[in-house]
Amino acid sequence: MKIITICGSYKFKKEMAEIAEEMTLKGNCVIMPNELTKTNKEDYTKEEILMIDKMHKEKIKISDAILVVDVNWYIGNSTKSEIEYAKSLNKEILYYTDLIGVI
């Protein structure tokens, strides 16, 4: 069993949930991004955005790996930052586009 944090653009929320389910059914402990209720990032204060980012990085810290949901190979700036953070912690990095057909 691995502890895996899902990372990716929230526009792929549906795909994230499907992947999390698949990975859970394969015996992994999957950590999802926080469920945000506001539709635009601009609806949050700078302090709130910093806190959300900090909490997601804490999830990465306690994980064995991250799984980047890169639908159509799209990776946004926040996700790039999470990948770099995971690399700095020597975490395994998995990419959805590499797992298509495997999971």
Side-chain angles (χ1 to χ4, degrees), residues 49-90:
I49 291 170
L50 289 172
M51 181 57 67
I52 291 166
D53 183 57
K54 180 180 178 184
M55 291 302 102
H56 196 68
K57 287 190 172 150
E58 286 297 317
K59 293 174 184 180
I60 293 169
K61 190 186 294 184
I62 64 172
S63 298
D64 300 310
I66 65 168
L67 196 160
V68 179
V69 179
D70 58 336
V71 176
N72 296 320
W73 298 274
Y74 174 82
I75 299 175
N77 289 331
S78 292
T79 305
K80 286 177 188 174
S81 164
E82 293 162 359
I83 293 167
E84 290 306 312
Y85 183 69
K87 285 180 181 178
S88 77
L89 298 173
N90 296 314

Side-chain angles (χ1 to χ4, degrees), residues 6 8-18 20 31-40 44 48 52-53 55-56 59:
I6 302 286
S9 171
Y10 224 68
K11 65 182 168 182
F12 302 130
K13 178 180 172 180
K14 178 181 176 274
E15 290 87 347
M16 286 182 189
E18 291 168 353
I31 303 172
M32 290 282 293
N34 289 326
E35 183 72 31
L36 303 177
T37 58
K38 297 175 184 173
T39 53
N40 296 309
Y44 292 94
E48 290 171 329
I52 291 166
D53 183 57
M55 291 302 102
H56 196 68
K59 293 174 184 180

